[in-house]
Amino acid sequence: IHVSPGLFGVFVRVGRELCIPVMRCQRRITAPSTGTPEGYVLRHPFYWLKGLVIAYWSARAERLGMLMPDGAIHTPGYRAGETRIEDALKRVPWAKIQRAAELIIHPATMVDRELFGNVTESRVRDYQVFRDPGLKDRLLKAGVNPVGFEVLHGK
């Protein structure tokens, strides 16, 4: 809901009023399972248009002093739990990332259609993938350093 027209600015303003200096960045870093990011965008014009609007809002939030990652990694075509996350991350255009990129997940321990709507089984798969104790070591071996929002403060 935070990327709805009219609400994004409200969330930025409230975050600043509450002295919350860091927020998610909804700018998209697209890494599709097949083809190129540019090809994916051309085949999905609404995705491209929404991405432009969100990038504009994100830049405005940064001008107001909000800190955020360079973007959020979107991996269309991959199914959570069926692909090793480090394999999907190989397709990320890392040269475009200067500080950090966010990998958005929505973990849940059980399917609850009333609470989560249509996004259900993928939440359980996200939970299973990201609770794997060996994931951090595999990511590091793949050249990906898992960090938190503290890196945006230079810590």
Side-chain angles (χ1 to χ4, degrees), residues 22 33-34 74 119 125 128:
V22 179
S33 62
T34 60
H74 288 261
V119 184
R125 288 190 301 267
Q128 293 165 345

Side-chain angles (χ1 to χ4, degrees), residues 3 13 15 20-21 26 31 41 50 76 83 87 98 104-105 117 125-126 128 132 139 141 151 154:
V3 292
R13 189 185 82 241
I20 300 170
Q26 298 297 323
V41 168
K50 184 176 178 182
T83 303
D87 292 336
Q98 297 175 10
I104 298 173
I105 62 168
R125 288 190 301 267
D126 279 354
Q128 293 165 345
D132 176 354
L139 290 175
K141 185 176 179 182
V151 300

Side-chain angles (χ1 to χ4, degrees), residues 115-126:
L115 183 60
F116 299 128
N118 291 333
V119 184
T120 54
E121 288 82 8
S122 66
R123 291 176 182 265
V124 174
R125 288 190 301 267
D126 279 354

Side-chain angles (χ1 to χ4, degrees), residues 70-145:
D70 296 310
I73 296 173
H74 288 261
T75 54
Y78 289 99
R79 289 183 46 86
E82 293 178 6
T83 303
R84 290 173 16 118
I85 190 67
E86 56 268 42
D87 292 336
L89 294 177
K90 288 178 186 174
R91 298 194 46 92
V92 172
W94 293 106
K96 294 182 178 182
I97 300 166
Q98 297 175 10
R99 295 173 304 230
E102 183 175 357
L103 184 59
I104 298 173
I105 62 168
H106 300 95
T109 57
M110 59 183 262
V111 172
D112 186 339
R113 290 194 190 285
E114 191 171 312
L115 183 60
F116 299 128
N118 291 333
V119 184
T120 54
E121 288 82 8
S122 66
R123 291 176 182 265
V124 174
R125 288 190 301 267
D126 279 354
Y127 176 78
Q128 293 165 345
V129 167
F130 284 89
R131 70 183 280 242
D132 176 354
L135 179 61
K136 182 177 180 180
D137 289 335
R138 291 195 318 274
L139 290 175
L140 289 169
K141 185 176 179 182
V144 177
N145 186 18

